[in-house]
């Protein structure tokens, strides 16, 4: 059509304006369709990414129109310049030149799109591996089948032993304990001076617990003993530290050593406590941070969380029981209960959101890449129509022709993988460094990402290539 217009006297500037106007119309129609799709997808978007975005077409109309104009200009300039510059005499003789630069640009765009897709596939796999690692990492205490109940009323806190006894009377509850905060979350930091410590006071994470905390939460003792009710002095001076604290204090043996709390605002401030036990390291913060020194102390007034170890099959019933009991005991406060593993999931909400973002954008990127690849495959098959016919007349099989047509695209996707893998390695290695405890980069993730992209590309190209390969060779030879 372009060449006919040129033969009939159309000028180059007129053709340029024609192509550009068609591009603007297409861009405007795409912008309108995009607004409709955005309006329909926004609730799902907000739900998946936990946001509250709102679409305001009236207020944002100048932005949308400006974006449509820019896209129309960028997408229309290149084809307008190239097509309007062809010489019609060559086109009518079947010798229209095909710029090598255009072919290189098309292939470069395909490589770029699939490189982005593979990079996002790698990111999805690495994030999924890290989230799986976070869920299964041994934190030094039991977090499965544990219901956390918030204690707010002062009378309830003072009578925590009686409340525990009531819950333990239920056959669905196997253990109960209380603490000042939820393990895995922020714990209080207090200044201490350990025995024979060379230097000023040191800030140490302090978790206030009751006598049952270590056995109920299945914390492993490395040395010494747990808190015991038949040792009244445990409430005043008994201390249990973790191995990280023992190492930080420079002690080879910790049992019997003394530690002074120098915070005068704390009960017992300035009084020395004695180490009665050493536990294996527990995480009192998220896995983004290294394990820190921890001191366990008994202080009933500071207990604000109760943890109930629940038998399997009784979770929801015990949760309902706990909420009803808290409503009765703490009528001024709404009941707050959650399972411990759910609490840890909330710590890593950003990581889960990041995984969903990568999944969404990887699907979009693959879809765009496949559209471009399908168009390029159709164009390549059309340009080689006569060649395919001649090959088939000379005995080439359909599978041989199919391999011929898809081999080039397989090479492009392979090149995309070779470019995306190093970038994915360094980017995800940098992201994993934000965690003190992390999984390793699994080579299988990179291989699977490349294989998935190659399979998607071959499925996209295969249908078009098969149609060209299976065509009647006589019709192909006559093709003009």
């Amino acid at each position: 059509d372009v060449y006919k217009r040129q033969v009939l006297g159309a000028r180059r500037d007129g053709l340029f304006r024609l192509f550009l106007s068609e591009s603007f119309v297409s861009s405007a129609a795409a912008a309108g369709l995009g607004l409709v799709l955005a309006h329909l997808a926004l609730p799902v978007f907000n739900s998946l990414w936990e946001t509250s975005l709102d679409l305001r077409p009236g207020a944002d109309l100048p932005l949308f129109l400006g974006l449509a104009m820019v896209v129309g200009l960028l997408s229309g300039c290149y084809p307008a310049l190239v097509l309007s510059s062809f010489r019609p005499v060559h086109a009518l003789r079947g010798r229209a030149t095909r710029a090598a630069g255009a072919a290189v640009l098309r292939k470069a765009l395909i490589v770029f799109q699939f490189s982005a897709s593979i990079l996002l596939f790698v990111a999805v796999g690495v994030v999924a591996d890290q989230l799986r690692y976070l869920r299964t990492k041994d934190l030094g205490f039991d977090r499965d089948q544990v219901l956390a109940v918030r204690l707010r009323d002062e009378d309830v806190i003072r009578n925590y032993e009686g409340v525990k006894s009531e819950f333990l009377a239920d056959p669905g509850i196997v253990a109960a304990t209380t603490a000042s905060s939820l393990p895995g979350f922020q714990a209080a930091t207090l200044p201490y001076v350990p025995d024979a410590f060379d230097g000023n006071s040191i800030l140490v994470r302090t978790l206030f617990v009751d006598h049952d905390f270590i056995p109920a939460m299945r914390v492993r003792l490395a040395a010494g003993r747990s808190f015991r009710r038949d040792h009244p002095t445990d409430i005043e001076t008994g201390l249990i530290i973790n191995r990280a604290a023992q190492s930080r204090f420079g002690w080879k043996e910790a049992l019997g050593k003394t530690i002074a709390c120098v915070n005068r605002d704390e009960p017992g401030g300035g009084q020395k406590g004695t180490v009665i036990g050493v536990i294996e390291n527990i995480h009192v913060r998220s896995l983004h941070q290294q394990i820190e020194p921890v001191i366990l102390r008994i202080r009933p007034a500071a207990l604000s969380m109760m943890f109930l170890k629940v038998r399997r099959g009784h979770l929801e019933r015990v949760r309902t029981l706990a909420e009803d009991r808290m409503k009765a005991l703490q009528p001024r406060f709404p009941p707050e209960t959650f399972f411990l593993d759910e609490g840890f999931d909330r710590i890593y909400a950003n990581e889960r959101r990041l995984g969903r973002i990568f999944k969404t954008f990887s699907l979009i990127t693959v879809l765009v890449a496949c559209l471009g690849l399908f168009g390029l495959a159709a164009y390549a098959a059309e340009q080689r129509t006569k060649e395919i016919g001649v090959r088939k007349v000379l005995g080439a099989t359909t599978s041989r022709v199919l391999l011929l047509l898809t081999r080039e695209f397989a090479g492009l996707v392979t090149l995309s993988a070779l470019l995306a893998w190093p970038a994915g390695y360094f980017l995800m290695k940098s992201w994993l460094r934000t965690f003190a405890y992390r999984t390793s980069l699994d080579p299988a993730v990179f291989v699977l990402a490349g294989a998935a992209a190659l399979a998607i590309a071959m499925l996209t190209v295969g249908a078009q290539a098969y149609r060209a390969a299976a065509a009647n060779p006589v019709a192909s030879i006559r093709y003009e």
Side-chain angles (χ1 to χ4, degrees):
D1 184 62
V2 175
Y3 310 133
K4 290 179 181 178
R5 288 176 181 270
Q6 288 178 320
V7 170
L8 295 175
R11 297 175 57 182
R12 182 175 180 180
D13 58 342
L15 292 174
F16 183 86
R17 288 193 298 270
L18 173 65
F19 285 117
L20 209 57
S21 62
E22 290 178 351
S23 177
F24 281 133
V25 171
S26 300
S27 180
L33 179 61
L35 280 175
V36 174
L37 293 176
H39 177 73
L40 295 176
L42 195 58
V44 178
F45 180 93
N46 286 333
S47 175
L48 287 176
W49 293 0
E50 301 175 13
T51 59
S52 56
L53 298 179
D54 187 22
L55 187 64
R56 300 173 299 171
D60 298 331
L61 186 59
L63 175 63
F64 294 138
L65 291 177
L67 183 61
M69 292 288 289
V70 171
V71 172
L73 182 64
L74 293 177
S75 61
C77 278
Y78 179 77
L81 287 171
V82 172
L83 293 177
S84 62
S85 65
F86 283 163
R87 298 183 61 181
V89 63
H90 289 168
L92 294 176
R93 289 177 179 175
R95 294 190 287 111
T97 58
R98 301 180 181 90
V104 172
L105 178 62
R106 286 192 295 268
K107 293 178 180 179
L109 289 175
I110 293 298
V111 170
F112 173 78
Q113 290 171 338
F114 270 95
S115 294
S117 301
I118 295 171
L119 179 61
L120 288 170
F121 283 159
V122 169
V124 169
V126 173
V127 171
D129 282 350
Q130 179 63 13
L131 288 174
R132 191 179 306 112
Y133 176 83
L134 296 176
R135 287 194 300 268
T136 58
K137 176 74 168 64
D138 182 10
L139 302 179
F141 58 88
D142 188 7
R143 58 176 166 174
D144 295 327
Q145 305 285 120
V146 176
L147 179 68
V149 181
R150 181 79 65 180
L151 306 180
R152 295 183 181 275
D153 189 89
E154 292 182 3
D155 292 335
V156 173
I157 294 174
R158 278 194 295 267
N159 187 39
Y160 74 93
E161 289 286 5
V163 177
K164 281 171 51 180
S165 299
E166 290 184 32
F167 282 124
L168 288 172
D170 187 280
I173 300 175
V174 296
T177 186
T178 48
S180 58
S181 66
L182 184 67
F185 287 74
Q186 195 78 4
T189 303
L190 298 177
Y192 294 91
V193 177
D195 186 19
F197 185 72
D198 185 15
N200 298 322
S201 63
I202 178 174
L203 294 175
V204 182
R205 299 282 173 186
T206 305
L207 190 63
F208 297 102
V209 299
D210 64 12
H211 293 84
D212 302 315
F213 181 81
I214 290 179
M217 299 302 292
R218 298 181 182 176
V219 178
R220 294 184 294 274
L221 271 170
R225 61 176 177 84
S226 178
F227 297 113
R228 290 169 53 177
R229 289 181 174 83
D230 57 357
H231 286 68
T233 56
D234 284 357
I235 296 179
E236 298 177 357
T237 61
L239 302 176
I240 295 178
I241 65 174
N242 66 344
R243 284 190 178 274
Q246 179 179 345
S247 177
R248 180 68 179 85
F249 300 158
W251 294 340
K252 292 184 178 180
E253 295 292 336
L255 297 181
K257 295 290 180 66
T258 61
I259 304 174
C261 178
V262 294
N263 186 3
R264 298 292 178 178
D265 296 331
E266 289 291 317
Q271 182 181 12
K272 287 188 176 181
T274 303
V275 177
I276 63 172
V278 179
I279 59 172
E280 299 291 347
N281 287 328
I282 63 174
H283 290 269
V284 295
R285 303 179 72 187
S286 77
L287 296 183
H288 286 282
Q289 290 85 26
Q290 290 280 354
I291 285 179
E292 297 178 287
V294 174
I295 294 178
L296 303 185
R297 294 169 55 186
I298 293 182
R299 184 181 164 192
L303 304 178
S304 60
M305 297 294 301
M306 182 170 291
F307 304 107
L308 307 176
K309 178 67 176 178
V310 184
R311 296 184 191 276
R312 295 195 179 276
H314 295 264
L315 290 176
E316 291 304 323
R317 184 187 64 79
V318 170
R319 186 172 195 170
T320 302
L321 170 69
E323 290 178 351
D324 292 341
R325 190 58 186 143
M326 287 299 106
K327 287 180 183 178
L329 293 173
Q330 304 179 137
R332 294 183 298 127
F333 304 98
E336 183 181 352
T337 64
F338 54 90
F339 292 104
L340 209 52
D341 52 358
E342 294 175 353
F344 278 95
D345 285 343
R346 285 198 290 269
I347 298 179
Y348 307 110
N350 289 336
E351 284 71 25
R352 295 201 314 276
R353 189 181 301 114
L354 184 65
R356 289 195 293 267
I357 290 174
F358 283 150
K359 286 180 183 178
T360 304
F361 277 105
S362 64
L363 292 175
I364 295 174
T365 306
V366 166
L367 177 61
V368 173
C370 287
L371 290 175
L373 190 61
F374 183 82
L376 186 58
Y379 177 79
E382 181 182 2
Q383 298 305 311
R384 304 177 71 171
T385 300
K386 283 188 177 181
E387 177 190 346
I388 293 171
V390 171
R391 286 178 178 273
K392 294 199 69 176
V393 168
L394 294 177
T397 61
T398 299
S399 60
R400 183 68 180 176
V401 175
L402 186 63
L403 177 63
L404 176 71
L405 293 175
T406 57
R407 183 171 54 194
E408 179 183 3
F409 300 106
L412 293 177
V413 178
T414 302
L415 176 60
S416 301
L418 294 177
L419 294 175
W421 284 343
Y425 176 84
F426 288 109
L427 288 175
M428 298 317 296
K429 192 77 172 178
S430 176
W431 178 73
L432 286 174
R433 288 196 189 100
T434 63
F435 295 87
Y437 302 91
R438 52 188 176 264
T439 185
S440 59
L441 287 174
D442 188 355
V445 171
F446 294 83
V447 175
L448 288 175
L454 182 61
I456 292 171
M458 290 301 97
L459 288 174
T460 303
V461 173
Q464 186 69 35
Y466 180 79
R467 187 174 67 175
N472 188 338
V474 176
S476 300
I477 293 175
R478 289 178 176 177
Y479 176 79
E480 292 291 337

